[in-house]
Amino acid sequence: MSSSILDAIDRIVAGNRVYAQQTSEQDPNAFKEWNKGQSPEVLWIGCADSRVPETTVCNCKPGEIFVHRNIANCVPADDISSASVVEYAVTHLKVKKVVVCGHTKCGGANAALADADLGQTLNTWLHPVRELRRKHKTELDKLPDDDARSLRVAELNVQQSLEVLRLHPAVKRAINERGLSLHGMIYDIGAGQLRLLEASGVKKTNGLWSPN
Amino acid sequence: MSGEPPSNPKEVRKYLQQSHDRIFESNRKWASEQKAKHPEFFEKLAQGQSPDYLWIGCSDSRIPAEAVTGLEPGEMFIHRNIANLVCNTDLNVMSVVNYAVRHLQVKHIIVCGHYGCGGVKAAMTPKDMGILNPWLRNIRDVYRLHEAELDDIPGDNDKKYDRLVELNVIEQARNVIKTAAVQQSYEEKGFPVVHGWVFGFNDGLLKDLNINFEGELEKIKKIFDLTKTE
């Protein structure tokens, strides 16, 4: 292992020391409080992309957002990993909101614009996103360029994930019993800003989706 | 975001709207501060990502990976699930590892657990947890692999949980080393290196479990050598 490779590790170990020190300076009880447990209000399902760190871009503090991040913020109905996160967050932590956040310049959405072979693992994972592209071909063909097309695919994919979430038994129950709400968003990497997606085909008020 | 939510429906709606608006307000504040500090920050990010690190951590809200390591957006590719598990049949984590190693060519993969992990605790609770059963089974299997050591830990269960958190990280790091993506990339390019860390809430510090990557890789290759392609 070359020394430059290990320098990268020294850097985040040092970064962590600064984080620990600054956090205690700002609030001497911070770690004591966090030690007691967590009660986040938001479950964030986002992309693994390094440019969209949820707590930073939402200017939130540790403890506020429960997080699942994967390639292209997909929530396949048969995926145990995301299903476990949703179950734990909704049933056990009782979060009040579930956010699915896609983003511009998404490598996954971009790869889904064509059928290049990315290896079997990624091909399988991105299959539903590529299916979305096929389903919406006419609409996508009218868009001016690939950036616009991959953004539209990212939006459709967020809606798709929300559809799956609405059918999750714990989510359904929480919507009816305690007003859990679901939100679709797109993060614009070039502007640093979040945009709320309007829900389609469901009753909504002020961008909040509610069960019929 | 704190405080008890109100109970009458009209108040609930108002409360939801306020907490909802808060995220957008905070985001706008962050974006304008960032732009003021580095005017070209977002344009540069829009050009692409080339993170050095892949972080596989817990979904727990108290450990935002970028914040606890002091990194900026664009520096760390992040996967977070319940109890930072790396299961070989989980397409979700395997896609992340594949993309990070083969396409982004990350130099380090960090599996990071944390003491007081709710997932690890839940796994040690003899109870039917529905859809969580198959997921938590993986942690129960880590216990089974290290049963003698864990059973020997005297005193309260907390010490046992702490050790199980560490052993879980080590096993998940081993699972990362078992992947073809990591083995082939390391053979060819000398990276990524896999690390196992634990985050502690009492001091906010990361503890390195000092996994000997090359040693583990050699041991693992005896049974899981995937460097030879057909």
Side-chain angles (χ1 to χ4, degrees):
Chain A
M1 266 171 256
S2 73
S3 66
S4 69
I5 278 197
L6 288 172
D7 286 348
I9 284 298
D10 290 345
R11 192 177 148 220
I12 55 176
V13 168
N16 171 241
R17 283 204 202 102
V18 173
Y19 163 80
Q21 201 192 337
Q22 281 179 349
T23 308
S24 313
E25 275 167 18
Q26 277 161 15
D27 178 4
N29 289 322
F31 290 117
K32 216 189 276 169
E33 282 303 312
W34 289 329
N35 214 1
K36 289 183 196 155
Q38 63 173 334
S39 52
E41 279 199 358
V42 177
L43 162 61
W44 173 284
I45 299 175
C47 185
D49 193 298
S50 61
R51 297 164 295 175
V52 200
E54 71 304 318
T55 304
T56 301
V57 307
C58 295
N59 212 14
C60 282
K61 289 199 218 48
E64 294 187 323
I65 307 180
F66 197 72
V67 180
H68 178 61
R69 287 171 62 184
N70 64 34
I71 301 286
N73 42 271
C74 295
V75 184
D78 58 357
D79 173 43
I80 297 280
S81 179
S82 54
S84 301
V85 172
V86 170
E87 177 72 19
Y88 193 78
V90 174
T91 307
H92 297 270
L93 298 173
K94 301 203 166 16
V95 295
K96 304 195 173 65
K97 287 149 191 307
V98 180
V99 170
V100 178
C101 186
H103 64 98
T104 59
K105 308 271 180 182
C106 178
N110 211 30
L113 292 182
D115 287 320
D117 183 6
L118 303 171
Q120 231 164 13
T121 306
L122 282 162
N123 288 345
T124 312
W125 182 253
L126 289 176
H127 177 78
V129 191
R130 286 174 163 161
E131 281 298 296
L132 272 180
R133 179 202 82 214
R134 280 186 265 278
K135 215 167 117 188
H136 295 267
K137 186 177 183 304
T138 326
E139 180 193 350
L140 292 167
D141 282 348
K142 286 182 196 142
L143 294 171
D145 53 31
D146 275 356
D147 266 358
R149 276 185 279 275
S150 80
L151 172 57
R152 184 62 190 139
V153 167
E155 288 177 359
L156 291 166
N157 191 36
V158 167
Q159 305 285 16
Q160 172 72 25
S161 295
L162 290 171
E163 288 296 324
V164 172
L165 287 171
R166 277 176 201 125
L167 296 174
H168 191 291
V171 173
K172 252 178 156 170
R173 214 177 310 125
I175 288 173
N176 288 318
E177 287 173 7
R178 57 181 183 83
L180 174 83
S181 58
L182 307 180
H183 312 265
M185 294 182 191
I186 291 286
Y187 176 76
D188 183 339
I189 285 190
Q193 297 208 347
L194 284 169
R195 172 168 61 87
L196 189 71
L197 289 183
E198 293 301 319
S200 59
V202 284
K203 200 177 99 191
K204 58 163 177 68
T205 18
N206 300 326
L208 296 175
W209 181 84
S210 339
N212 290 313
Chain B
M1 283 178 221
S2 58
E4 276 302 297
S7 52
N8 91 57
K10 217 174 137 195
E11 287 292 309
V12 168
R13 166 95 19 223
K14 200 174 137 207
Y15 170 84
L16 284 176
Q17 188 60 47
Q18 282 168 349
S19 53
H20 174 258
D21 292 344
R22 221 198 107 192
I23 287 199
F24 285 92
E25 280 161 27
S26 304
N27 165 245
R28 278 194 291 270
K29 187 166 165 260
W30 174 78
S32 62
E33 280 173 7
Q34 205 67 19
K35 222 167 178 171
K37 270 191 283 182
H38 320 279
E40 264 145 53
F41 185 75
F42 292 114
E43 282 107 74
K44 256 178 119 177
L45 281 184
Q47 284 159 23
Q49 60 172 337
S50 55
D52 271 344
Y53 315 93
L54 163 62
W55 174 280
I56 299 175
C58 186
S59 291
D60 193 297
S61 60
R62 296 165 292 178
I63 313 140
E66 78 286 1
V68 304
T69 49
L71 291 178
E72 292 281 331
E75 297 192 296
M76 186 180 257
F77 201 67
I78 297 174
H79 178 66
R80 289 169 63 184
N81 64 31
I82 301 286
N84 41 269
L85 296 183
V86 180
C87 319
N88 75 76
T89 53
D90 174 28
L91 205 54
N92 194 329
V93 70
M94 286 304 150
S95 317
V96 171
V97 170
N98 252 281
Y99 192 77
V101 174
R102 296 196 200 271
H103 298 265
L104 299 172
Q105 312 199 355
V106 295
K107 308 297 178 291
H108 298 276
I109 300 179
I110 296 146
V111 177
C112 188
H114 64 100
Y115 298 115
C117 180
V120 169
K121 224 168 228 178
M124 295 323 297
T125 312
K127 197 177 140 195
D128 176 4
M129 302 192 76
I131 186 85
L132 283 165
N133 288 339
W135 191 254
L136 298 176
R137 233 296 287 288
N138 297 290
I139 306 172
R140 295 180 176 132
D141 282 342
V142 172
Y143 193 106
R144 195 171 57 87
L145 279 172
H146 301 275
E147 200 173 350
E149 181 191 341
L150 288 163
D151 283 350
D152 270 352
I153 296 173
D156 54 14
N157 275 337
D158 284 355
K159 286 205 185 80
K160 211 177 267 190
Y161 288 142
D162 283 355
R163 184 59 187 148
L164 182 55
V165 162
E166 293 175 356
L167 291 169
N168 182 46
V169 165
I170 294 170
E171 287 305 328
Q172 304 317 319
R174 285 193 176 122
N175 288 342
V176 175
I177 303 173
K178 287 173 195 168
T179 63
V182 168
Q183 290 190 12
Q184 289 166 9
S185 171
Y186 192 75
E187 173 117 327
E188 215 177 287
K189 305 176 195 131
F191 58 79
V193 179
V194 179
H195 310 265
W197 294 356
V198 181
F199 183 82
F201 290 119
N202 53 344
D203 54 10
L205 291 172
L206 292 162
K207 177 178 163 188
D208 190 349
L209 297 176
N210 291 315
I211 292 175
N212 172 358
F213 172 68
E214 278 171 349
E216 283 296 326
L217 180 65
E218 278 319 302
K219 270 195 280 176
I220 279 168
K221 272 166 119 180
K222 194 181 142 207
I223 308 169
F224 301 92
D225 189 349
L226 304 182
T227 53
K228 317 262 182 302
T229 42
E230 336 116 57

